[in-house]
Amino acid sequence: MYYLIYKTTNKINGKYYIGKHKTDNIDDLYLGYGTAIKNAIKKYGRKNFEREILFILDNEKEMSLKEQEIVNDDIVNDPRSYNSKLGGDVVVS
């Protein structure tokens, strides 16, 4: 299993989304979750987005903590960001 922090960038306008993703296929086509990024993909088309893996973590808790660290107020308030809420729903286990 892979625990990823990724950045999806709109190649047309430069807007981006940073998120976390748990997957068994590191090369899957996942681009993001949330209303703003989903609407943007629908508007501009999947081919106009690219995903970059920023971190590969060891487990879900580390992944959530890293997202919490990165997706902060600066990212949420950045007009170039599709993120609308703070990151890091920490899973305690």
Side-chain angles (χ1 to χ4, degrees):
M1 190 61 60
Y2 298 97
Y3 302 91
L4 311 174
I5 299 297
Y6 64 91
K7 181 179 184 179
T8 298
T9 303
N10 182 326
K11 296 187 280 186
I12 294 174
N13 63 17
K15 289 186 77 169
Y16 64 90
Y17 178 83
I18 297 174
K20 65 182 179 179
H21 180 51
K22 176 180 163 183
T23 182
D24 59 1
N25 177 6
I26 201 165
D27 295 319
D28 65 12
L29 301 175
Y30 188 79
L31 293 175
Y33 179 81
T35 303
I37 188 68
K38 286 182 178 183
N39 287 341
I41 293 166
K42 184 184 277 189
K43 177 179 179 179
Y44 294 101
R46 178 174 277 282
K47 70 182 185 312
N48 289 309
F49 289 82
E50 62 185 2
R51 184 183 75 177
E52 166 189 7
I53 296 172
L54 303 177
F55 298 95
I56 301 173
L57 291 307
D58 292 331
N59 56 57
E60 199 164 348
K61 183 175 180 180
E62 286 182 19
M63 176 182 66
S64 289
L65 288 170
K66 181 58 81 174
E67 185 192 36
Q68 184 178 42
E69 175 186 323
I70 294 172
V71 183
N72 55 28
D73 285 322
D74 292 336
I75 298 296
V76 171
N77 294 319
D78 183 349
R80 297 172 301 136
S81 170
Y82 290 116
N83 291 81
S84 61
K85 67 175 190 163
L86 299 174
D89 299 329
V90 176
V91 175
V92 179
S93 57

